[in-house]
Amino acid sequence: MIPYEEIRVPVAGGELAALRWPSPDPGAPVAVALHGITANALSWGAVARMLAGRATLVAPDLRGRAGSAGLPGPYGIAAHADDAAALAGALGRGRVVLAGHSMGAFVAALAAVRHPGLFGPLVLVDGGFGFPAPTHLSADELLTAVIGPAMDRLSMTFPDRDAYRSFWRAHPAFGDWSPEVDAYIQRDLTGEEPALRSGCRLEAVRTDGGGLFEEEVLAAVHELPGPATLLWAERGLMDEEQGLYDESRLAAAGQPGTKVGAVRVEDVNHYTVLTGEKGAGRIADTLLRAALPR
């Protein structure tokens, strides 16, 4: 792991916590990186290491998670987009590269549409293109269908940190264990032994999950003011062969003809596309290319 610093930025209702991995070069590009629905800022630790000081990476704990768990609602994709804009503005570096993984990719797309003067090119990681919600499912049924395993742990308690580590190491999609992954999952914990639990606020996760199907959110990736790259994982959330995307699904979601170039990342799943060596390296390279003057 490489060292980082924690910063706090004023947003509606309080302060947003963010982690900053600074470049030793004051003129290096800056990227803001947004995590997934039940994740936290340290999910970007491997990408920060892969950047190797060639850019400054700033990743917030989104409202309702980890260091930002105390921020009140309203939650939702638009609230996160506005928080990301407040963070980018506070950095004082002009237009920054914006990246997002999973739900964070939807937030990034909406932030770019709502605040075009703050963000340059986008890097979307296994997210950003969505589909209308099935009309026969309730909001909770829909959320369970999309992120059921991730939701389960929010109501669980763990006797100690080793137990939480073991819970995650048994997950079929977390084969690439590393110091960064360990730090990322441990940042999620709150409380005291023997009743440690996830720090994600269930209300925030429920609101955000439903928000992924809102018309404004689904439309954002089709209305981007500038270029974007989508890195999509070959395999899915449980390491299954079918990932969230493939060429036919992207075609159905309307990706062809947008400002988004889609790139398949082989031999990764929805999580290791961000936390594994191969995926993190691909993201770091894409962020650096996005930061080049156009």
Side-chain angles (χ1 to χ4, degrees):
M1 288 181 60
I2 62 173
Y4 58 84
E5 58 187 12
E6 186 157 346
I7 62 175
R8 303 192 75 86
V9 173
V11 294
E15 291 184 324
L16 186 76
L19 305 184
R20 180 177 180 267
W21 289 268
S23 169
D25 176 5
V30 175
V32 170
L34 310 176
H35 62 72
I37 191 166
T38 63
N40 61 69
L42 275 182
S43 62
W44 290 88
V47 174
R49 173 168 53 84
M50 291 289 187
L51 286 170
R54 294 172 290 173
T56 290
L57 184 67
V58 183
D61 289 324
L62 295 179
R63 186 178 292 260
R65 284 84 170 170
S68 301
L71 277 175
Y75 306 106
I77 308 304
H80 296 313
D82 292 345
D83 287 346
L87 173 59
L91 296 176
R93 293 295 300 270
R95 290 159 62 91
V96 301
V97 177
L98 182 60
H101 171 246
S102 194
M103 182 195 78
F106 290 87
V107 175
L110 187 60
V113 170
R114 290 168 70 102
H115 307 278
L118 288 172
F119 302 109
L122 268 61
V123 177
L124 309 177
V125 183
D126 221 32
F129 283 93
F131 303 89
T135 56
H136 65 285
L137 296 179
S138 70
D140 277 353
E141 288 172 335
L142 185 60
L143 195 57
T144 299
V146 176
I147 57 163
M151 286 284 291
D152 289 344
R153 84 170 195 281
L154 302 187
S155 59
M156 297 172 65
T157 59
F158 300 86
D160 53 39
R161 290 184 175 273
D162 281 342
Y164 196 53
R165 181 179 294 112
S166 296
F167 170 84
W168 276 112
R169 295 205 72 162
H171 193 292
F174 272 74
D176 291 353
W177 202 260
S178 67
E180 287 98 352
V181 171
D182 196 67
Y184 152 46
I185 64 106
Q186 296 293 342
R187 185 173 174 81
D188 179 52
L189 282 180
T190 189
E192 297 182 0
E193 299 179 2
L196 296 171
R197 58 180 176 79
S198 170
C200 291
R201 298 185 66 170
L202 186 57
E203 179 189 356
V205 173
R206 281 180 169 153
T207 302
D208 296 345
L212 292 172
F213 299 95
E214 293 176 355
E215 184 176 344
E216 179 189 26
V217 175
L218 292 173
V221 75
H222 302 277
E223 300 172 352
L224 295 177
T229 300
L230 167 66
L231 300 175
W232 58 273
E234 183 178 47
R235 300 197 301 276
L237 279 79
M238 300 298 288
D239 204 39
E240 68 271 31
E241 290 188 9
Q242 176 63 64
L244 292 179
Y245 300 116
D246 57 26
E247 288 84 355
S248 62
R249 288 185 176 188
L250 287 170
Q255 177 265 327
T258 68
K259 296 178 180 178
V260 183
V263 179
R264 176 186 181 183
V265 185
E266 298 180 349
D267 300 322
V268 298
N269 60 49
H270 179 71
Y271 296 103
T272 58
V273 70
L274 177 63
T275 62
E277 294 292 297
K278 181 173 184 177
R282 180 67 70 87
I283 293 170
D285 289 345
T286 305
L287 286 172
L288 291 169
R289 286 196 299 272
L292 292 174
R294 295 172 182 263

